[in-house]
Protein backbone atom coordinates (compact mmCIF):
# COMPACT_ATOMS: atom_id res chain seq x y z
CA UNK A 1 0.00 0.00 0.00
CA UNK A 2 1.22 3.47 -0.80
CA UNK A 3 1.74 6.24 1.70
CA UNK A 4 -1.57 7.65 0.64
CA UNK A 5 -3.36 4.51 1.65
CA UNK A 6 -5.01 4.56 -1.75
CA UNK A 7 -5.84 1.18 -3.13
CA UNK A 8 -5.98 0.05 -6.67
CA UNK A 9 -7.86 -2.82 -8.29
CA UNK A 10 -4.47 -4.32 -9.11
CA UNK A 11 -3.80 -4.70 -5.41
CA UNK A 12 -6.58 -7.24 -5.16
CA UNK A 13 -4.91 -9.44 -7.73
CA UNK A 14 -1.44 -9.45 -6.26
CA UNK A 15 -0.62 -8.16 -2.80
CA UNK A 16 2.43 -6.21 -3.90
CA UNK A 17 1.02 -4.83 -7.12
CA UNK A 18 1.82 -1.21 -7.74
CA UNK A 19 -0.76 1.47 -8.14
CA UNK A 20 -1.00 4.01 -10.89
CA UNK A 21 0.08 6.56 -8.31
CA UNK A 22 3.23 4.54 -7.56
CA UNK A 23 4.17 4.52 -11.23
CA UNK A 24 3.48 8.22 -11.69
CA UNK A 25 5.40 9.13 -8.54
CA UNK A 26 8.30 7.05 -9.81
CA UNK A 27 8.33 8.90 -13.11
CA UNK A 28 8.19 12.25 -11.36
CA UNK A 29 10.98 11.35 -8.94
CA UNK A 30 13.12 10.01 -11.78
CA UNK A 31 12.50 12.97 -14.03
CA UNK A 32 10.84 10.76 -16.62
CA UNK A 33 7.33 12.19 -16.30
CA UNK A 34 5.82 13.96 -19.27
CA UNK A 35 3.01 16.49 -19.29
CA UNK A 36 0.34 13.81 -19.40
CA UNK A 37 1.88 12.05 -16.38
CA UNK A 38 1.84 15.27 -14.39
CA UNK A 39 -1.75 15.93 -15.33
CA UNK A 40 -2.73 12.39 -14.35
CA UNK A 41 -0.88 12.71 -11.08
CA UNK A 42 -2.53 16.02 -10.21
CA UNK A 43 -5.89 14.43 -10.89
CA UNK A 44 -5.07 11.64 -8.44
CA UNK A 45 -3.64 14.06 -5.91
CA UNK A 46 -6.80 16.17 -6.03
CA UNK A 47 -8.60 13.18 -4.58
CA UNK A 48 -5.77 12.21 -2.26
CA UNK A 49 -3.53 15.14 -1.23
CA UNK A 50 -1.25 12.80 0.72
CA UNK A 51 0.21 11.76 -2.61
CA UNK A 52 2.14 15.04 -2.63
CA UNK A 53 3.79 13.95 0.56
CA UNK A 54 4.57 10.58 -0.99
CA UNK A 55 6.37 12.36 -3.83
CA UNK A 56 8.44 14.36 -1.38
CA UNK A 57 9.28 11.33 0.74
CA UNK A 58 10.35 9.16 -2.16
CA UNK A 59 12.31 12.01 -3.65
CA UNK A 60 14.17 12.33 -0.38
CA UNK A 61 14.67 8.58 -0.10
CA UNK A 62 16.15 8.41 -3.56
CA UNK A 63 18.40 11.40 -2.99
CA UNK A 64 19.79 9.87 0.18
CA UNK A 65 20.12 6.43 -1.36
CA UNK A 66 21.82 7.78 -4.46
CA UNK A 67 24.29 9.75 -2.38
CA UNK A 68 25.18 6.60 -0.52
CA UNK A 69 25.48 4.53 -3.68
CA UNK A 70 27.74 7.20 -5.16
CA UNK A 71 29.86 7.04 -2.04
CA UNK A 72 30.05 3.24 -2.11
CA UNK A 73 31.13 2.97 -5.73
CA UNK A 74 33.25 6.11 -5.91
CA UNK A 75 36.56 4.30 -5.78
CA UNK A 76 35.45 1.52 -8.08
CA UNK A 77 34.39 3.90 -10.79
CA UNK A 78 37.90 5.27 -11.13
CA UNK A 79 39.34 1.85 -11.82
CA UNK A 80 41.05 1.59 -15.18
CA UNK A 81 41.44 -1.49 -17.30
CA UNK A 82 44.59 -3.40 -16.52
CA UNK A 83 47.23 -3.40 -19.21
CA UNK A 84 47.37 -6.95 -20.44
CA UNK A 85 49.48 -6.19 -23.43
CA UNK A 86 52.68 -5.87 -21.49
CA UNK A 87 51.91 -7.25 -18.06
CA UNK A 88 55.38 -8.19 -16.86
CA UNK A 89 58.04 -6.72 -19.08
CA UNK A 90 56.68 -3.25 -19.42
CA UNK A 91 59.47 -0.70 -19.22
CA UNK A 92 59.49 1.29 -16.03
CA UNK A 93 59.15 4.54 -17.81
CA UNK A 94 55.82 3.54 -19.18
CA UNK A 95 54.05 4.61 -16.05
CA UNK A 96 50.66 5.30 -17.39
CA UNK A 97 48.75 5.88 -20.56
CA UNK A 98 45.09 6.21 -19.96
CA UNK A 99 42.20 8.32 -21.05
CA UNK A 100 41.81 11.64 -22.72
CA UNK A 101 44.42 13.36 -20.60
CA UNK A 102 46.85 10.53 -20.57
CA UNK A 103 50.13 11.75 -19.27
CA UNK A 104 53.09 9.59 -19.78
CA UNK A 105 56.11 10.45 -17.72
CA UNK A 106 59.26 9.30 -19.33
CA UNK A 107 62.80 9.21 -18.15
CA UNK A 108 64.94 8.96 -21.18
CA UNK A 109 68.64 9.05 -21.48
CA UNK A 110 69.95 12.16 -23.10
CA UNK A 111 71.99 10.19 -25.57
CA UNK A 112 68.89 8.47 -26.88
CA UNK A 113 67.01 11.70 -27.52
CA UNK A 114 67.41 11.59 -31.30
CA UNK A 115 65.23 8.51 -31.31
CA UNK A 116 62.43 10.36 -29.62
CA UNK A 117 62.27 13.27 -32.01
CA UNK A 118 59.45 11.56 -33.76
CA UNK A 119 57.10 12.20 -30.90
CA UNK A 120 56.87 15.89 -31.63
CA UNK A 121 53.86 16.95 -33.59
CA UNK A 122 51.04 14.64 -34.55
CA UNK A 123 52.05 11.05 -35.09
CA UNK A 124 50.46 9.48 -38.11
CA UNK A 125 47.14 7.94 -37.14
CA UNK A 126 47.33 4.85 -39.27
CA UNK A 127 46.49 1.29 -38.33
CA UNK A 128 49.23 -0.70 -36.73
CA UNK A 129 49.48 -4.40 -37.42
CA UNK A 130 49.80 -5.80 -33.96
CA UNK A 131 48.96 -9.11 -32.49
CA UNK A 132 47.01 -8.39 -29.28
CA UNK A 133 49.06 -11.03 -27.51
CA UNK A 134 52.35 -9.33 -28.30
CA UNK A 135 54.03 -6.79 -26.12
CA UNK A 136 53.68 -3.29 -27.53
CA UNK A 137 56.51 -0.87 -27.78
CA UNK A 138 55.75 2.58 -26.51
CA UNK A 139 55.37 4.01 -29.99
CA UNK A 140 53.06 1.18 -31.02
CA UNK A 141 51.05 1.77 -27.89
CA UNK A 142 50.82 5.45 -28.67
CA UNK A 143 49.76 4.78 -32.24
CA UNK A 144 47.06 2.42 -31.06
CA UNK A 145 45.90 5.05 -28.64
CA UNK A 146 45.79 7.67 -31.34
CA UNK A 147 43.45 5.51 -33.38
CA UNK A 148 40.68 6.35 -30.95
CA UNK A 149 38.26 8.81 -32.56
CA UNK A 150 38.35 11.15 -29.62
CA UNK A 151 42.11 11.64 -29.68
CA UNK A 152 43.35 14.47 -31.85
CA UNK A 153 47.07 14.07 -31.45
CA UNK A 154 49.90 15.04 -29.23
CA UNK A 155 51.07 18.43 -27.98
CA UNK A 156 54.73 19.27 -27.60
CA UNK A 157 56.28 17.45 -24.67
CA UNK A 158 57.22 19.50 -21.60
CA UNK A 159 60.53 18.90 -19.87
CA UNK A 160 60.07 19.26 -16.15
CA UNK A 161 63.28 17.82 -14.70
CA UNK A 162 66.82 17.11 -15.83
CA UNK A 163 68.78 14.65 -13.76
CA UNK A 164 72.54 14.21 -13.77
CA UNK A 165 73.52 10.55 -13.88
CA UNK A 166 76.69 9.11 -12.31
CA UNK A 167 78.06 8.15 -15.71
CA UNK A 168 77.90 11.73 -16.93
CA UNK A 169 74.76 11.41 -18.99
CA UNK A 170 71.53 13.25 -18.21
CA UNK A 171 68.07 11.84 -17.73
CA UNK A 172 65.40 14.08 -19.14
CA UNK A 173 62.00 13.75 -17.50
CA UNK A 174 59.23 15.05 -19.65
CA UNK A 175 55.50 14.83 -19.95
CA UNK A 176 53.77 13.79 -23.12
CA UNK A 177 50.39 15.41 -23.51
CA UNK A 178 47.52 13.88 -25.42
CA UNK A 179 44.96 16.19 -26.96
CA UNK A 180 41.47 14.71 -26.94
CA UNK A 181 37.96 15.98 -27.23
CA UNK A 182 34.48 15.29 -26.01
CA UNK A 183 31.15 16.89 -26.91
CA UNK A 184 28.72 18.68 -24.68
CA UNK A 185 25.10 19.29 -25.50
CA UNK A 186 24.21 22.93 -26.07
CA UNK A 187 22.29 23.20 -22.82
CA UNK A 188 25.00 21.69 -20.66
CA UNK A 189 27.30 23.74 -18.49
CA UNK A 190 30.99 23.51 -19.20
CA UNK A 191 32.45 21.55 -16.26
CA UNK A 192 35.62 23.59 -15.98
CA UNK A 193 37.03 25.34 -12.94
CA UNK A 194 38.70 28.74 -12.85
CA UNK A 195 42.04 27.15 -13.69
CA UNK A 196 40.62 25.67 -16.86
CA UNK A 197 40.68 22.13 -15.51
CA UNK A 198 37.82 19.74 -16.02
CA UNK A 199 35.94 19.17 -12.79
CA UNK A 200 34.55 15.77 -13.76
CA UNK A 201 35.88 12.64 -15.36
CA UNK A 202 35.86 13.34 -19.09
CA UNK A 203 34.45 9.88 -19.69
CA UNK A 204 31.30 11.10 -18.01
CA UNK A 205 30.84 13.72 -20.69
CA UNK A 206 28.58 13.00 -23.59
CA UNK A 207 29.87 10.85 -26.37
CA UNK A 208 30.94 12.35 -29.65
CA UNK A 209 28.10 12.81 -32.10
CA UNK A 210 28.50 10.69 -35.21
CA UNK A 211 31.99 9.66 -34.15
CA UNK A 212 33.76 9.25 -37.45
CA UNK A 213 32.37 12.20 -39.32
CA UNK A 214 32.70 14.61 -36.42
CA UNK A 215 36.17 13.44 -35.60
CA UNK A 216 37.20 13.98 -39.18
CA UNK A 217 35.56 17.39 -39.21
CA UNK A 218 37.46 18.44 -36.13
CA UNK A 219 40.71 17.20 -37.62
CA UNK B 1 19.89 4.05 -32.93
CA UNK B 2 20.94 7.05 -30.84
CA UNK B 3 24.40 8.50 -30.76
CA UNK B 4 25.35 6.74 -27.54
CA UNK B 5 24.50 3.39 -29.08
CA UNK B 6 26.27 4.31 -32.26
CA UNK B 7 29.40 5.22 -30.34
CA UNK B 8 29.13 2.03 -28.33
CA UNK B 9 28.89 -0.06 -31.46
CA UNK B 10 32.00 1.47 -32.94
CA UNK B 11 33.89 1.00 -29.72
CA UNK B 12 32.72 -2.57 -29.34
CA UNK B 13 33.78 -3.46 -32.85
CA UNK B 14 37.21 -2.02 -32.27
CA UNK B 15 37.49 -3.49 -28.81
CA UNK B 16 36.79 -6.93 -30.21
CA UNK B 17 39.74 -6.49 -32.54
CA UNK B 18 41.98 -5.81 -29.59
CA UNK B 19 42.06 -2.02 -29.80
CA UNK B 20 43.23 -1.02 -26.35
CA UNK B 21 41.98 2.52 -26.55
CA UNK B 22 38.54 1.33 -27.58
CA UNK B 23 38.49 -1.17 -24.72
CA UNK B 24 39.47 1.54 -22.30
CA UNK B 25 36.83 3.92 -23.64
CA UNK B 26 34.20 1.21 -23.49
CA UNK B 27 35.11 0.44 -19.92
CA UNK B 28 34.92 4.06 -18.90
CA UNK B 29 31.52 4.49 -20.47
CA UNK B 30 30.09 1.53 -18.63
CA UNK B 31 32.00 1.13 -15.39
CA UNK B 32 29.58 3.15 -13.27
CA UNK B 33 26.66 0.88 -13.86
CA UNK B 34 28.95 -2.12 -13.60
CA UNK B 35 29.87 -0.91 -10.12
CA UNK B 36 26.20 -0.50 -9.24
CA UNK B 37 25.40 -4.05 -10.34
CA UNK B 38 28.33 -5.32 -8.31
CA UNK B 39 27.05 -3.39 -5.33
CA UNK B 40 23.68 -5.06 -5.80
CA UNK B 41 25.06 -8.59 -6.03
CA UNK B 42 28.42 -8.78 -4.28
CA UNK B 43 29.02 -10.76 -1.14
CA UNK B 44 29.27 -8.13 1.58
CA UNK B 45 32.76 -9.22 2.61
CA UNK B 46 34.22 -8.48 -0.79
CA UNK B 47 35.09 -4.97 -1.87
CA UNK B 48 33.42 -3.56 -4.98
CA UNK B 49 36.84 -2.59 -6.35
CA UNK B 50 38.14 -6.14 -6.16
CA UNK B 51 35.24 -7.46 -8.16
CA UNK B 52 35.57 -4.58 -10.60
CA UNK B 53 39.10 -5.80 -11.31
CA UNK B 54 37.79 -9.26 -12.09
CA UNK B 55 35.11 -7.88 -14.36
CA UNK B 56 37.67 -5.73 -16.16
CA UNK B 57 39.88 -8.73 -16.75
CA UNK B 58 37.01 -10.76 -18.15
CA UNK B 59 35.84 -7.89 -20.30
CA UNK B 60 39.19 -7.75 -22.05
CA UNK B 61 39.69 -11.47 -22.32
CA UNK B 62 36.18 -12.23 -23.57
CA UNK B 63 35.14 -9.24 -25.64
CA UNK B 64 36.34 -11.10 -28.69
CA UNK B 65 33.61 -13.68 -28.13
CA UNK B 66 30.80 -11.13 -28.12
CA UNK B 67 28.94 -11.79 -31.34
CA UNK B 68 26.16 -9.23 -31.16
CA UNK B 69 27.28 -5.69 -30.26
CA UNK B 70 23.66 -4.82 -29.46
CA UNK B 71 23.80 -7.33 -26.64
CA UNK B 72 26.84 -5.76 -25.04
CA UNK B 73 25.12 -4.46 -21.92
CA UNK B 74 23.31 -7.69 -21.00
CA UNK B 75 26.51 -9.57 -21.87
CA UNK B 76 28.58 -7.40 -19.56
CA UNK B 77 25.95 -7.62 -16.85
CA UNK B 78 26.10 -11.41 -17.03
CA UNK B 79 29.84 -11.22 -16.55
CA UNK B 80 29.27 -9.10 -13.46
CA UNK B 81 26.71 -11.54 -12.07
CA UNK B 82 29.04 -14.47 -12.69
CA UNK B 83 31.94 -12.72 -10.99
CA UNK B 84 29.77 -11.95 -7.97
CA UNK B 85 28.50 -15.51 -7.79
CA UNK B 86 32.02 -16.84 -8.07
CA UNK B 87 33.11 -14.58 -5.24
CA UNK B 88 30.21 -15.76 -3.09
CA UNK B 89 31.06 -19.41 -3.77
CA UNK B 90 34.72 -18.98 -2.92
CA UNK B 91 33.83 -17.11 0.25
CA UNK B 92 31.43 -19.53 1.86
CA UNK B 93 33.92 -22.06 3.31
CA UNK B 94 36.04 -19.27 4.75
CA UNK B 95 33.07 -17.80 6.53
CA UNK B 96 32.73 -20.78 8.80
CA UNK B 97 36.37 -20.54 9.76
CA UNK B 98 36.58 -16.83 10.29
CA UNK B 99 33.12 -15.96 11.51
CA UNK B 100 33.74 -12.27 11.84
CA UNK B 101 30.87 -9.82 12.03
CA UNK B 102 31.59 -8.58 8.58
CA UNK B 103 31.83 -12.03 7.07
CA UNK B 104 28.60 -13.03 8.65
CA UNK B 105 26.96 -10.40 6.51
CA UNK B 106 28.71 -11.53 3.41
CA UNK B 107 26.39 -13.88 1.60
CA UNK B 108 23.83 -13.01 -1.01
CA UNK B 109 20.68 -11.58 0.36
CA UNK B 110 17.97 -14.06 1.13
CA UNK B 111 15.37 -11.45 0.33
CA UNK B 112 14.37 -10.96 3.95
CA UNK B 113 14.77 -7.48 5.30
CA UNK B 114 17.52 -7.11 7.83
CA UNK B 115 16.50 -5.70 11.17
CA UNK B 116 18.31 -2.68 12.47
CA UNK B 117 21.41 -3.42 14.51
CA UNK B 118 20.65 -3.61 18.20
CA UNK B 119 23.87 -1.82 19.00
CA UNK B 120 22.84 1.21 17.00
CA UNK B 121 22.16 4.07 19.39
CA UNK B 122 18.61 5.32 19.26
CA UNK B 123 18.43 8.78 17.82
CA UNK B 124 21.23 8.56 15.30
CA UNK B 125 18.80 7.77 12.54
CA UNK B 126 18.02 11.44 12.42
CA UNK B 127 21.43 12.00 10.98
CA UNK B 128 21.10 12.28 7.25
CA UNK B 129 24.16 10.22 6.47
CA UNK B 130 23.15 7.52 8.84
CA UNK B 131 19.70 7.46 7.28
CA UNK B 132 21.29 7.14 3.86
CA UNK B 133 23.42 4.24 5.05
CA UNK B 134 20.40 2.50 6.39
CA UNK B 135 18.46 3.08 3.23
CA UNK B 136 21.25 1.45 1.24
CA UNK B 137 21.45 -1.39 3.71
CA UNK B 138 17.74 -1.96 3.34
CA UNK B 139 17.93 -1.62 -0.42
CA UNK B 140 20.57 -4.34 -0.51
CA UNK B 141 18.21 -6.70 1.26
CA UNK B 142 15.44 -6.29 -1.30
CA UNK B 143 14.98 -9.22 -3.69
CA UNK B 144 17.50 -8.91 -6.52
CA UNK B 145 14.87 -8.17 -9.17
CA UNK B 146 14.08 -4.99 -7.24
CA UNK B 147 17.41 -3.90 -5.85
CA UNK B 148 19.20 -4.11 -9.16
CA UNK B 149 17.08 -1.57 -11.07
CA UNK B 150 16.89 0.56 -7.94
CA UNK B 151 20.67 0.85 -7.66
CA UNK B 152 21.01 1.40 -11.39
CA UNK B 153 18.48 4.20 -11.13
CA UNK B 154 20.68 5.74 -8.47
CA UNK B 155 23.19 6.44 -11.21
CA UNK B 156 21.36 9.59 -12.09
CA UNK B 157 22.41 9.49 -15.67
CA UNK B 158 20.68 6.18 -16.37
CA UNK B 159 17.27 6.41 -17.96
CA UNK B 160 14.57 3.77 -17.78
CA UNK B 161 15.45 2.78 -21.31
CA UNK B 162 19.13 2.32 -20.50
CA UNK B 163 18.29 0.29 -17.42
CA UNK B 164 15.98 -1.87 -19.52
CA UNK B 165 18.83 -2.47 -21.96
CA UNK B 166 21.20 -3.56 -19.23
CA UNK B 167 18.67 -5.85 -17.60
CA UNK B 168 17.21 -6.95 -20.92
CA UNK B 169 13.68 -6.27 -19.71
CA UNK B 170 10.81 -4.12 -21.03
CA UNK B 171 10.68 -0.54 -19.77
CA UNK B 172 7.27 -1.17 -18.22
CA UNK B 173 8.78 -3.94 -16.11
CA UNK B 174 11.57 -1.62 -15.00
CA UNK B 175 9.03 1.02 -13.98
CA UNK B 176 6.96 -1.48 -12.05
CA UNK B 177 9.96 -2.93 -10.25
CA UNK B 178 11.26 0.51 -9.37
CA UNK B 179 7.88 1.50 -8.00
CA UNK B 180 7.66 -1.64 -5.89
CA UNK B 181 11.23 -1.28 -4.72
CA UNK B 182 10.64 2.27 -3.57
CA UNK B 183 7.46 1.37 -1.81
CA UNK B 184 9.08 -1.58 -0.04
CA UNK B 185 12.02 0.57 0.91
CA UNK B 186 9.83 3.33 2.31
CA UNK B 187 7.63 0.93 4.23
CA UNK B 188 10.58 -0.90 5.69
CA UNK B 189 12.51 2.26 6.51
CA UNK B 190 9.40 3.78 8.04
CA UNK B 191 8.69 0.73 10.15
CA UNK B 192 12.29 0.56 11.37
CA UNK B 193 12.33 4.17 12.42
CA UNK B 194 8.92 3.76 14.02
CA UNK B 195 10.24 0.78 15.96
CA UNK B 196 12.94 3.01 17.34
CA UNK B 197 10.42 5.64 18.29
CA UNK B 198 11.67 8.16 15.80
CA UNK B 199 9.02 8.23 13.14
Amino acid sequence: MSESGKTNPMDEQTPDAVTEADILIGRIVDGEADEQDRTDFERLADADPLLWRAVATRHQDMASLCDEVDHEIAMATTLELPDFVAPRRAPRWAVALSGWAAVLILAVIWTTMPQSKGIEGLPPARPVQINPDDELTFEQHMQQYLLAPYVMGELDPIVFRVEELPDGRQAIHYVRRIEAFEFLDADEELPVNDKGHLTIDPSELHAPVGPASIAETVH
Amino acid sequence: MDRQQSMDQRLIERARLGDRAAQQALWRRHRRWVAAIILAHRPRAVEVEDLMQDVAVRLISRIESLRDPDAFRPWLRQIVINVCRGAARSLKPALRLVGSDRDADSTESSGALTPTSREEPVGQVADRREAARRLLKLALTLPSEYREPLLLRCLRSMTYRQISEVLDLPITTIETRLARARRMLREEFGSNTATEGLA
Side-chain angles (χ1 to χ4, degrees):
Chain A
M1 179 166 305
S2 69
E3 289 89 334
S4 68
K6 189 179 178 69
T7 57
N8 183 290
M10 286 189 292
D11 287 332
E12 295 173 12
Q13 297 163 13
T14 52
D16 60 347
V18 293
T19 63
E20 181 188 5
D22 284 324
I23 296 290
L24 292 174
I25 289 171
R27 288 179 187 167
I28 291 168
V29 168
D30 291 333
E32 300 241 1
D34 58 19
E35 203 52 47
Q36 184 61 49
D37 292 330
R38 292 193 191 90
T39 304
D40 290 345
F41 177 77
E42 285 170 11
R43 175 179 49 80
L44 291 174
D46 281 345
D48 183 1
L50 285 177
L51 286 177
W52 289 111
R53 187 171 155 185
V55 171
T57 306
R58 290 186 196 179
H59 227 303
Q60 195 173 24
D61 285 352
M62 281 306 283
S64 297
L65 182 62
C66 293
D67 284 347
E68 193 60 17
V69 169
D70 280 346
H71 178 76
E72 284 287 317
I73 66 174
M75 284 294 290
T77 52
T78 62
L79 190 81
E80 299 291 356
L81 283 183
D83 185 356
F84 287 97
V85 179
R88 285 173 297 184
R89 290 174 293 167
R92 288 190 170 198
W93 44 263
V95 176
L97 183 62
S98 62
W100 70 284
V103 176
L104 185 60
I105 299 175
L106 302 176
V108 296
I109 304 303
W110 183 248
T111 53
T112 63
M113 276 302 284
Q115 296 174 20
S116 60
K117 279 182 179 171
I119 65 171
E120 294 187 11
L122 181 66
R126 61 176 181 272
V128 184
Q129 297 301 319
I130 292 170
N131 181 340
D133 295 329
D134 291 345
E135 180 177 351
L136 292 184
T137 65
F138 172 75
E139 292 302 333
Q140 286 172 323
H141 199 156
M142 180 63 83
Q143 282 188 304
Q144 286 282 66
Y145 186 78
L146 288 169
L147 291 176
Y150 44 81
V151 174
M152 298 287 292
E154 184 178 9
L155 303 176
D156 289 341
I158 297 175
V159 174
F160 68 94
R161 188 156 61 97
V162 177
E163 187 182 0
E164 296 288 343
L165 298 178
D167 63 3
R169 293 181 299 170
Q170 297 178 83
I172 311 300
H173 297 248
Y174 61 93
V175 177
R176 294 178 70 164
R177 300 176 296 164
I178 306 300
E179 179 187 354
F181 64 89
E182 293 280 1
F183 289 87
L184 278 183
D185 285 339
D187 58 345
E188 285 187 282
E189 192 177 340
L190 189 64
V192 171
N193 64 19
D194 54 5
K195 292 179 180 173
H197 298 159
L198 278 175
T199 54
I200 63 173
D201 184 333
S203 66
E204 305 300 333
L205 293 172
H206 282 251
V209 182
S213 58
I214 295 294
E216 284 157 11
T217 304
V218 176
H219 272 291
Chain B
M1 182 184 296
D2 66 19
R3 64 185 188 185
Q4 296 275 353
Q5 286 175 311
S6 168
M7 182 65 178
D8 261 359
Q9 287 228 345
R10 285 172 53 87
L11 288 173
I12 290 164
E13 284 163 12
R14 295 162 55 133
R16 287 177 61 199
L17 297 173
D19 182 329
R20 305 289 299 166
Q23 290 173 354
Q24 186 68 266
L26 201 57
W27 174 249
R28 289 180 173 191
R29 287 165 67 86
H30 294 277
R31 62 187 172 187
R32 286 195 79 222
W33 69 255
V34 165
I37 300 269
I38 289 176
L39 187 61
H41 290 279
R42 71 174 171 136
R44 304 293 172 259
V46 181
E47 297 294 337
V48 175
E49 298 91 78
D50 293 339
L51 297 178
M52 284 284 280
Q53 294 270 10
D54 291 345
V55 172
V57 168
R58 291 196 195 189
L59 170 65
I60 293 178
S61 62
R62 297 182 185 182
I63 185 77
E64 220 176 324
S65 68
L66 175 64
R67 290 180 185 169
D68 178 10
D70 288 339
F72 174 73
R73 290 178 193 224
W75 175 81
L76 183 55
R77 173 183 171 268
Q78 195 54 53
I79 287 179
V80 176
I81 301 289
N82 290 342
V83 164
C84 290
R85 285 180 182 157
R89 275 197 299 273
S90 62
L91 205 61
K92 278 176 183 170
L95 286 182
R96 297 192 192 96
L97 296 174
V98 178
S100 68
D101 288 347
R102 193 172 181 211
D103 289 336
D105 191 26
S106 64
T107 53
E108 280 268 15
S109 164
S110 64
L113 292 166
T114 308
T116 309
S117 167
R118 288 176 189 171
E119 287 75 33
E120 198 167 46
V122 173
Q124 284 197 356
V125 72
D127 176 70
R128 180 181 166 83
R129 182 68 201 280
E130 181 60 22
R133 284 192 184 124
R134 287 187 45 198
L135 272 170
L136 178 58
K137 193 174 177 183
L138 286 171
L140 293 177
T141 63
L142 295 176
S144 63
E145 65 264 36
Y146 298 122
R147 71 174 181 266
E148 205 173 1
L150 187 65
L151 296 192
L152 285 176
R153 184 53 226 176
C154 277
L155 309 180
R156 294 175 178 90
S157 56
M158 282 198 91
T159 62
Y160 287 172
R161 185 179 59 75
Q162 288 170 325
I163 295 172
S164 79
E165 286 170 5
V166 169
L167 301 182
D168 206 14
L169 291 169
I171 290 177
T172 50
T173 304
I174 299 300
E175 277 193 300
T176 306
R177 290 188 180 181
L178 278 171
R180 283 182 187 164
R182 287 197 184 98
R183 195 169 61 178
M184 292 159 79
L185 197 61
R186 169 59 11 208
E187 287 173 353
E188 205 51 41
F189 187 73
S191 73
N192 273 0
T193 52
T195 302
E196 295 175 11
L198 293 160

